[in-house]
Amino acid sequence: MEATGSQASDAFRSQTASSSATACRGQQFEFGDFLGQVRQKLLSPDSESYRQRQPSSQTLRIDVKRDHGVSVTNRRSCMSLGHMSVSASFPGITGLRQRFAYRWNQVVLRPGDTSSRDLLDDFEDDEPTISAVRIDTTTPSYSISVPMALVSRPDLGSFMHVLNAWTSTAMKSLAGVAGGVPLMQALQALGNPAGGLGMADLPLKLGGVGSIGGFLEESEKSLATHVGLFSLTSAVMFIGSIRGLNKHSTAREGNYMGMVATALGIISVLASPGFHGAHLRFLLTFLAAGGVGYGVATNVKMEDMPQLVAGFHSFVGLAAVFAGFASYFNPANPYSAMKAIETAVGIAIGSLTFTGSVVAAAKLHELIPGKPIILDNRWLLNGLAVGTSALLSGMFLNPAIFASSGGTAILLANTALWGFLGVNMVIPIGGADMPVVVSLLNAFSGLATSAAGFMLSNDLLTISGALIASSGTLLSDIMCRGINRSMYNVLLGGFGVDSGSASAAAAAPGRTRQDVREVSAVGFVGMLFAAKKVVIVPGYGLAVARCQQKLAEIVALLRKHNVIVHFAIHPVAGRMPGHMNVLLAEADIPYDIVKEMEDINADMSSYDVGIVVGANDIVNPATQDDPTSPIYGMPAIEIWKCKQCVVLKRSMGTGYSGVDNPLFYLENVKMLFGDAKQSMDNIHSCLEDSQDRLAAGSAANFSADQAAGGENAEPETFPEASKVIGVLRERAPGEARVSLAPSAVVKLRRMGFSLLLEAGAGSAAGFQDEDYTKHGGVQVAESAVEVLKQADIVFKVSEPLLNEVQLLQGTQTMVGFWNMYGTQELLDALQQSSASVVNLALVPRVSRAQKLDALTSMANIAGYRAVLDAFNRFPRFSRAGSTAFGSVPPAKVFVIGAGVAGLSAIATAHSLGCKVYANDVRDAAREQVESMGAEFIAVDAQGIAGEGAGGYATVMGEDFTRRQLATYARVVPDMDVIITTAMIPNRAAPELLTAEMIDTMKKGSVIVDLAAQTGGNCVYTEQDKTVVSPNGITVIGETNYPSMMAAQASEMLGSNFTALLEVLGGGSNFGGEHWDDPIVKPAVVAQGGRVVWDPNPPRPPAPAPAPDASGVGGFGGASPTPVPPPEEANEIIKWIQEHKDELAMGVGAATILGLGIAVDIPEAELTHMGYFVLSCLIGHFTVAGVTPALHTPLISVTNAISGIIVVGGMLQLSGPLISARVGCALAAVFLSSVNIVGGFAVTARMLEMFREDTKPKSVQDKTPGSRASSSHA
């Protein structure tokens, strides 16, 4: 028979105060009923069990088992509770079983405690402060077997007393083990149980330390030693991580060391005493945040790196705020004035860092205007905020307020005040001063981390924060020196005005575009032909235009023909320290041809051509020879010392300083006006078309023996082909292009490809089969079927035909170029094929993908040909002129849509002498249109934007569309030629020219609809047809203008297709992980038997539109000029600047002396202060050695290191999940984990871009000398 039940008796309590100062209380397990049942039903001669027993089964077995246990501990107490089962049986006979509940309490006594009983009562009456909760799922047990032959019937009563004592003690020992207490210590603490059997008589003895308190104390001491070692190692490795960035060759190792150091810091908390209950919380939060950080780091564009860094700074600041609140909500932290001060200061710095970083990121991303925004009574507001904060902090130091809900309210108010100060600190600073701001915020994030270290008494946070603070401070000083301004002047804000300001005009009265010497792209290329040494000065305009990739290709062409090319980098050329170096590295420019300003200025006169791209103030001669200039004394790159200089600019606008640049008017300087990207495309095309001339110019500069050696050079050897490329003949009506021109064959063979060409594939474009086969490695197939069966990769110009798709195999890849609108039948067919199909028209518009951007290549041709076709049909002159008949006005051309095709049409029409007008729903296009000499026609829709995500046009609302059509109805009647290019990705083209509008146009006018392929913008458009409206307007719906320039278009397409193969790994490493490349993945239409194309891909956020001139509240229009400080204040500031070193030493000494006299600072706080000061010094000397080219990776890696503030959140994770403390701790862990993973990932990504020049040094060394000797001869 088996009996079950539950019993928890408190009839008996025992407590002791042992010599080790430990008080314990446990519930006795009263077994009267259970053991009475054992005696009655198992041992009594009258029981059925007694009669059933055989001689061999005369042994009674007692089992005590703990079913489950939960322990709750802190530094002074331990409580264990759960359930246990006790069973009694004879072999082969059904026994008895009963279940009991238990609770075990222990409190360590300290001097001054009145009695152990009071402490135990307090423990039960009050909720204990929990530092750790542990659930033990093991089921330990004890058992005893007693031969009944040894127990005579008269002794049965005494035996039951012994059995009761043993069972009770076994249960108590198991309860103690659940709380981490060995059996012998549990027995010693509990003392003798009721029933009278002494401990020495029990058959259970185990070893251990002398007491529970001693056991826990020794364990914590041992573990704390290892934890401290981890923290110290982590801090030292952080120093090594920054040290690794001193040079390119060790930068990657430095980043890896930072990762290991951060891991050690986290492990030091995971392994610390009392953290065992929070592992799952931490790991889940860290993994989720890490995924977010890694995703952001791997997808951010390098042009947007300053915004990312500022955003990560804000995460550190907010994490510091949450960590501070979590620490404040921790009831285990007793009040002290020092802790209260540290909490208030730490949260204040974190709040300022957070809001200041958010504003900086918004300014950099143009969500807030980049110009200075100065609030009325700015300094009064700042003073009131600081004064109110001081008052609130004083109230917070009151112990009664600190411990009440009023303390929370004060902290929240103080957080809001310092958040306002962060906004008001950054918002008055202009966009060009952002390098200083980003560096300064880097320092603030370090201070926030150190403040958390003081607040939580954590040396690792104090040390790492100090390193980051010193790094940010030093970089801020470098940036200030780079612009010859003090930190005070930068923080004052309001420096400079916009390029169209009155100050700019006053700086150069009477000077206009007619006063400078202009040069065309062809003329500029002619200058490069004769150059031996070229230096390029990039500015932030290069990043804005995103043309660094095309610039890198130009540099590669020049260096290929032995032209020495160097880049000169100014410290403030980008929007953060070292930003320009990262952009050039992304374009695959070797870092050893990129020189710092101070290294190259001395040799500037030796360069034949200097090129300025997107820079202004940093190349202004007024910095050195005009004492009246606001930027006088600012270090500048002395580009004017070159023999010739070409400046690429949109217009004559000034730089951030608002002063005119005398460089533009010098005798040796020429201006190349226009959009930088468009100009780069034109220069690159001219250079490629004239490579023979460039090579001839290069060869003429070599000595005779070098030339003779070139004649005897052996033919080039190519690697063995790993893949076969098939080139099909195009079968679409009117298609004359071919996917690969003969000029690309050599490059493909170098990449490990051979070619299989369908016979006559290039004949329509003017290329014969022999033009391909003469390069070797090319076979000619008689049919498309043969190509499709044998080729690994198939190239096509247009979309795949359905019968071609059916022939494709799973291992093949087909690459084409087509519009995805209206291709559902093709998509259905692709689902039945397992081949990979790529559409180059879907390549994202990012700088790294420029080489693959076939859409831009073809749109450029389309815009050019559209204008020529229009004037071929237009019955009047395009340009103005005077004849015997009289004067002839220029034709008026209206271009709708200022994308690539639109801009090309504008440039062509302008070159024909037309009066050009243009419109685009995107406000960002205005400046591009005006820079090319056209007049921008704005839609008559005040306050309505037409900007889509990522700068793309978007589907407009009814109100905007109505006003847009009204604007066109007003403009169209005066136009002679209209070019429409308005298309929306993957949608039908919007109808913009109605029948009513066309009826108002002059007879003979021409409309060219470049959107005809997706339905057209004109009501009369018919695809691939030319129609005439009832009133005599010619409407052209041609969809394939590039085919009219088949040879040129094929060259461009072949270059795009070849670039795709480079990204996909070349012949030997084709495909695989390269399919996941972010510039390839969006272009994959089908793969593995399914369509993977996303018709609505995510776009990067669009920049905010330019503010209207009538802005309100400081957020639009011209920025108010800051009120200059009074003369007395200027004198004081001047004196402080002259004596700043002495003042710093005096204030520092007075502060230390005052604190030592007036405040009783705990020894631990002095230790932290020492760590902080020493770490600042070490950080300063470590960061000072970092090469300027790696300043952006330095900021990002210190950003990741600042994520070590995760430790502050981890230390607060224990406790109830639904609580303010744990909620704040989880938020701190999440934000800082995003920083850790994102920071290190983006640093690794940047460092992978930096490469050393692979061109032999001997070639570079010989080139100048050989040219010099040739010139001398």
Side-chain angles (χ1 to χ4, degrees):
M1 181 177 64
E2 178 177 272
T4 61
S6 177
Q7 178 176 340
S9 171
D10 42 74
F12 172 81
R13 291 186 176 183
S14 70
Q15 62 168 15
T16 64
S18 67
S19 59
S20 60
T22 302
C24 303
R25 171 177 295 167
Q27 287 183 304
Q28 181 190 356
F29 302 93
E30 187 66 54
F31 302 111
D33 292 342
F34 178 74
L35 294 179
Q37 293 289 326
V38 171
R39 181 171 184 173
Q40 179 181 351
K41 296 182 178 182
L42 295 182
L43 301 181
S44 171
D46 300 329
S47 66
E48 182 180 354
S49 171
Y50 187 87
R51 291 192 297 270
Q52 292 177 354
R53 290 201 306 265
Q54 301 298 323
S56 61
S57 61
Q58 294 295 316
T59 300
L60 176 67
R61 180 182 176 88
I62 304 293
D63 290 287
V64 181
K65 182 178 71 172
R66 191 186 77 225
D67 296 328
H68 62 266
V70 178
S71 64
V72 181
T73 62
N74 62 21
R75 292 187 178 275
R76 292 198 61 190
S77 60
C78 169
M79 179 174 69
S80 176
L81 56 147
H83 288 91
M84 295 192 189
S85 299
V86 183
S87 61
S89 64
F90 286 100
I93 300 175
T94 303
L96 300 175
R97 181 175 178 273
Q98 191 163 354
R99 198 179 190 200
F100 298 86
Y102 72 87
R103 184 178 64 188
W104 161 282
N105 298 340
Q106 176 198 10
V107 177
V108 179
L109 301 181
R110 292 180 179 174
D113 290 335
T114 55
S115 69
S116 60
R117 179 176 296 277
D118 293 336
L119 288 172
L120 291 169
D121 290 339
D122 291 342
F123 186 94
E124 292 185 351
D125 295 339
D126 298 331
E127 181 183 353
T129 299
I130 297 172
S131 63
V133 178
R134 184 179 66 188
I135 299 176
D136 196 344
T137 58
T138 60
T139 55
S141 63
Y142 293 120
S143 64
I144 186 173
S145 299
V146 182
M148 293 308 298
L150 301 179
V151 182
S152 61
R153 186 174 301 177
D155 294 331
L156 188 58
S158 300
F159 170 71
M160 295 306 297
H161 282 296
V162 173
L163 192 62
N164 180 57
W166 184 90
T167 307
S168 177
T169 305
M171 293 186 72
K172 293 172 184 176
S173 68
L174 288 175
V177 170
V181 184
L183 175 60
M184 185 54 105
Q185 282 65 56
L187 299 178
Q188 291 174 351
L190 286 171
N192 293 341
L197 193 65
M199 294 301 153
D201 301 322
L202 292 174
L204 303 172
K205 293 184 179 180
L206 297 174
V209 295
S211 69
I212 299 172
F215 173 77
L216 295 176
E217 185 177 353
E218 291 298 323
S219 298
E220 289 193 10
K221 284 182 178 179
S222 175
L223 191 54
T225 301
H226 295 87
V227 169
L229 184 60
F230 275 176
S231 294
L232 179 61
T233 304
S234 177
V236 172
M237 290 183 72
F238 280 143
I239 299 172
S241 174
I242 297 174
R243 177 73 176 174
L245 291 172
N246 279 15
K247 51 186 178 180
H248 291 88
S249 58
T250 59
R252 292 179 180 84
E253 288 76 6
N255 191 42
Y256 296 145
M257 185 178 292
M259 296 180 191
V260 175
T262 305
L264 283 177
I266 293 174
I267 291 172
S268 72
V269 180
L270 293 175
S272 62
F275 190 76
H276 53 268
H279 286 95
L280 184 60
R281 295 177 186 178
F282 167 73
L283 291 175
L284 291 177
T285 306
F286 183 84
L287 290 175
V292 173
Y294 186 79
V296 171
T298 53
N299 290 292
V300 67
K301 300 174 184 175
M302 288 299 112
E303 294 90 344
D304 297 333
M305 186 57 59
Q307 295 95 299
L308 177 70
V309 169
F312 279 167
H313 288 333
S314 71
F315 282 10
V316 175
L318 192 55
V321 172
F322 279 121
F325 273 99
S327 175
Y328 171 69
F329 290 142
N330 187 352
N333 289 343
Y335 169 82
S336 71
M338 186 61 68
K339 286 297 179 185
I341 292 173
E342 291 169 351
T343 301
V345 171
I347 291 176
I349 296 175
S351 179
L352 182 144
T353 304
F354 169 64
T355 56
S357 300
V358 169
V359 172
K363 274 181 167 283
L364 289 165
H365 207 63
E366 299 181 9
L367 299 176
I368 296 176
K371 63 180 66 175
I373 300 172
I374 301 176
L375 302 179
D376 294 335
N377 301 314
R378 171 192 175 195
W379 295 109
L380 176 61
L381 292 173
N382 286 346
L384 288 174
V386 172
T388 305
S389 175
L391 178 62
L392 292 175
S393 299
M395 296 170 60
F396 187 68
L397 294 180
N398 186 315
I401 295 178
F402 180 91
S404 68
S405 59
T408 304
I410 287 176
L411 270 187
L412 288 171
N414 209 31
T415 302
L417 286 172
W418 282 92
F420 167 76
L421 287 171
V423 172
N424 210 18
M425 177 185 76
V426 177
I427 206 167
I429 301 175
D433 282 337
M434 282 300 114
V436 180
V437 175
V438 171
S439 303
L440 188 61
L441 290 171
N442 187 232
F444 276 123
S445 69
L447 288 177
T449 305
S450 277
F454 280 96
M455 180 170 51
L456 301 171
S457 300
N458 188 283
D459 294 338
L460 177 59
L461 293 181
T462 304
I463 295 172
S464 57
L467 293 173
I468 299 162
S470 61
S471 169
T473 304
L474 183 61
L475 288 179
S476 300
D477 181 64
I478 292 173
M479 295 300 103
C480 286
R481 284 189 275 112
I483 57 178
N484 194 38
R485 291 166 62 204
S486 65
M487 182 65 69
Y488 168 80
N489 185 269
V490 172
L491 295 179
L492 181 66
F495 181 81
V497 290
D498 280 351
S499 57
S501 63
S503 62
R511 282 187 167 182
T512 64
R513 180 164 171 171
Q514 283 70 35
D515 296 320
V516 301
R517 297 162 183 80
E518 292 192 46
V519 65
S520 65
V522 176
F524 175 49
V525 170
M527 296 167 64
L528 294 177
F529 287 153
K532 306 169 187 175
K533 291 182 69 176
V534 174
V535 61
I536 303 172
V537 181
Y540 186 63
L542 176 77
V544 173
R546 296 183 175 177
C547 59
Q548 61 266 30
Q549 192 70 43
K550 190 62 66 175
L551 177 61
E553 294 177 24
I554 293 172
V555 170
L557 279 174
L558 293 174
R559 300 183 77 228
K560 175 182 176 182
H561 296 286
N562 299 306
V563 177
I564 299 175
V565 182
H566 289 142
F567 285 82
I569 304 297
H570 195 280
V572 293
R575 283 296 182 261
M576 64 185 292
H579 186 208
M580 196 55 59
N581 299 80
V582 173
L583 294 178
L584 296 179
E586 183 193 24
D588 206 28
I589 292 173
Y591 64 77
D592 46 355
I593 70 169
V594 180
K595 309 295 182 182
E596 299 304 321
M597 175 182 64
E598 56 270 19
D599 297 330
I600 202 169
N601 263 349
D603 299 326
M604 196 63 72
S605 58
S606 66
Y607 290 91
D608 300 302
V609 177
I611 307 171
V612 180
V613 186
N616 199 325
D617 290 338
I618 62 174
V619 291
N620 194 328
T623 57
Q624 298 188 10
D625 54 24
D626 185 4
T628 63
S629 172
I631 58 174
Y632 178 72
M634 168 182 162
I637 297 176
E638 300 168 355
I639 194 71
W640 55 87
K641 293 184 177 179
C642 295
K643 296 179 178 66
Q644 296 183 88
C645 179
V646 176
V647 180
L648 279 70
K649 278 182 64 66
R650 292 179 182 272
S651 64
M652 290 293 292
T654 63
Y656 172 65
S657 65
V659 299
D660 196 57
N661 194 339
L663 174 73
F664 305 156
Y665 312 103
L666 297 179
E667 291 288 337
N668 63 330
V669 176
K670 292 182 173 63
M671 306 292 292
L672 178 56
F673 290 106
D675 176 70
K677 188 175 186 302
Q678 188 78 32
S679 298
M680 287 295 172
D681 288 339
N682 294 337
I683 294 167
H684 183 264
S685 298
C686 292
L687 276 175
E688 279 202 322
D689 294 342
S690 308
Q691 282 199 66
D692 292 341
R693 182 180 168 190
L694 183 61
S698 173
N701 288 317
F702 282 95
S703 58
D705 57 336
Q706 288 174 314
E711 293 175 0
N712 298 324
E714 295 183 1
E716 182 177 358
T717 57
F718 299 100
E720 184 177 352
S722 304
K723 297 285 183 182
V724 177
I725 296 174
V727 179
L728 293 176
R729 179 171 56 84
E730 300 301 321
R731 287 166 170 77
E735 183 58 75
R737 293 171 292 175
V738 63
S739 56
L740 202 70
S743 59
V745 172
V746 172
K747 187 170 185 178
L748 289 172
R749 292 198 63 194
R750 289 172 182 159
M751 293 166 58
F753 293 104
S754 62
L755 270 73
L756 182 61
L757 179 77
E758 183 183 358
S763 58
F767 306 126
Q768 303 305 313
D769 293 346
E770 293 76 14
D771 296 330
Y772 293 89
T773 56
K774 68 181 181 181
H775 297 289
V778 180
Q779 294 182 336
V780 179
E782 294 301 323
S783 68
V785 174
E786 187 177 347
V787 173
L788 289 168
K789 286 185 177 181
Q790 297 184 30
D792 300 300
I793 303 157
V794 180
F795 282 173
K796 274 184 64 67
V797 173
S798 57
E799 67 184 72
L801 302 178
L802 297 183
N803 61 341
E804 293 171 343
V805 173
Q806 293 173 357
L807 291 174
L808 290 177
Q809 302 173 23
T811 58
Q812 288 180 299
T813 298
M814 176 172 277
V815 184
F817 173 75
W818 70 94
N819 193 308
M820 293 297 295
Y821 178 74
T823 57
Q824 188 57 48
E825 187 178 3
L826 172 61
L827 294 177
D828 294 339
L830 291 177
Q831 286 185 328
Q832 309 302 318
S833 173
S834 56
S836 300
V837 179
V838 181
N839 183 359
L840 279 188
L842 303 177
V843 168
R845 297 284 185 88
V846 295
S847 59
R848 182 168 163 260
Q850 287 176 0
K851 294 189 294 185
L852 286 68
D853 195 355
L855 194 63
T856 296
S857 304
M858 298 302 102
N860 210 339
I861 295 176
Y864 170 76
R865 290 294 305 191
V867 174
L868 298 184
D869 196 11
F871 279 100
N872 187 43
R873 302 168 189 267
F874 183 63
R876 288 187 288 276
F877 283 112
S878 64
R879 57 178 173 77
S882 297
T883 67
F885 169 77
S887 61
V888 178
K892 294 182 178 180
V893 177
F894 184 33
V895 180
I896 300 177
V900 176
L903 292 174
S904 178
I906 291 171
T908 306
H910 189 266
S911 67
L912 292 176
C914 304
K915 177 65 176 175
V916 187
Y917 303 85
N919 166 264
D920 196 288
V921 296
R922 300 166 299 141
D923 288 336
R926 176 191 291 269
E927 188 177 356
Q928 292 177 307
V929 167
E930 292 176 346
S931 70
M932 302 186 76
E935 180 179 333
F936 188 81
I937 303 294
V939 174
D940 302 328
Q942 194 72 22
I944 301 178
E947 192 89 27
Y952 287 78
T954 187
V955 179
M956 306 308 301
E958 292 183 6
D959 189 23
F960 183 93
T961 302
R962 186 175 65 256
R963 299 190 186 201
Q964 182 185 31
L965 294 179
T967 302
Y968 292 167
R970 173 175 56 82
V971 173
V972 161
D974 294 330
M975 297 299 146
D976 299 307
V977 173
I978 300 177
I979 312 290
T980 68
T981 69
M983 290 192 289
I984 299 172
N986 309 317
R987 294 177 182 266
E991 185 178 297
L992 302 176
L993 297 179
T994 64
E996 292 78 9
M997 293 183 198
I998 296 174
D999 287 343
T1000 64
M1001 296 180 68
K1002 298 185 290 287
K1003 185 177 181 179
S1005 299
V1006 179
I1007 298 173
V1008 182
D1009 194 342
L1010 291 180
Q1013 191 172 13
T1014 56
N1017 300 137
C1018 176
V1019 66
Y1020 291 118
T1021 298
E1022 294 185 28
Q1023 193 173 114
D1024 292 320
K1025 292 183 179 180
T1026 299
V1027 299
V1028 180
S1029 72
N1031 63 325
I1033 308 302
T1034 303
V1035 182
I1036 304 172
E1038 176 62 49
T1039 60
N1040 195 0
Y1041 274 118
S1043 192
M1044 297 181 180
M1045 296 174 57
Q1048 179 72 64
S1050 299
E1051 292 277 0
M1052 291 181 172
L1053 275 178
S1055 176
N1056 299 138
F1057 279 55
T1058 303
L1060 173 68
L1061 296 182
E1062 283 185 298
V1063 177
L1064 284 173
S1068 60
N1069 194 26
F1070 182 82
E1073 61 183 11
H1074 300 293
W1075 286 116
D1076 294 324
D1077 192 293
I1079 66 174
V1080 174
K1081 196 171 183 177
V1084 179
V1085 178
Q1087 197 169 45
R1090 62 189 185 94
V1091 174
V1092 297
W1093 168 63
D1094 182 4
N1096 298 298
R1099 301 288 189 188
D1108 186 66
S1110 57
V1112 179
F1115 286 90
S1119 302
T1121 304
V1123 179
E1127 188 63 31
E1128 296 81 0
N1130 283 331
E1131 291 297 327
I1132 295 174
I1133 293 169
K1134 182 179 179 181
W1135 184 86
I1136 291 175
Q1137 289 176 340
E1138 292 175 352
H1139 301 84
K1140 57 184 179 182
D1141 293 337
E1142 296 86 346
L1143 278 173
M1145 294 179 63
V1147 171
T1151 302
I1152 294 173
L1153 182 61
L1155 288 174
I1157 295 174
V1159 182
D1160 183 16
I1161 302 177
E1163 182 180 351
E1165 300 297 335
L1166 288 175
T1167 302
H1168 279 300
M1169 186 65 70
Y1171 283 152
F1172 178 78
V1173 173
L1174 288 174
S1175 299
C1176 284
L1177 292 174
I1178 294 172
H1180 175 84
F1181 290 112
T1182 304
V1183 173
V1186 175
T1187 179
L1190 294 176
H1191 278 167
T1192 292
L1194 170 66
I1195 290 180
S1196 65
V1197 83
T1198 53
N1199 216 325
I1201 292 173
S1202 66
I1204 197 63
I1205 201 172
V1206 70
V1207 168
M1210 293 172 67
L1211 293 173
Q1212 313 296 332
L1213 278 180
S1214 298
L1217 182 61
I1218 308 301
S1219 65
R1221 173 194 171 196
V1222 175
C1224 289
L1226 287 173
V1229 169
F1230 183 88
L1231 292 167
S1232 49
S1233 299
V1234 171
N1235 239 40
I1236 291 171
V1237 178
F1240 283 123
V1242 80
T1243 303
R1245 183 179 161 203
M1246 283 189 285
L1247 294 177
E1248 286 299 322
M1249 296 175 184
F1250 286 93
R1251 69 172 181 87
E1252 193 172 7
D1253 187 15
T1254 56
K1255 192 170 184 179
K1257 298 292 183 183
S1258 58
V1259 174
Q1260 288 293 316
D1261 293 339
K1262 288 179 182 178
T1263 302
S1266 61
R1267 292 184 171 195
S1269 62
S1270 175
S1271 177
H1272 177 72

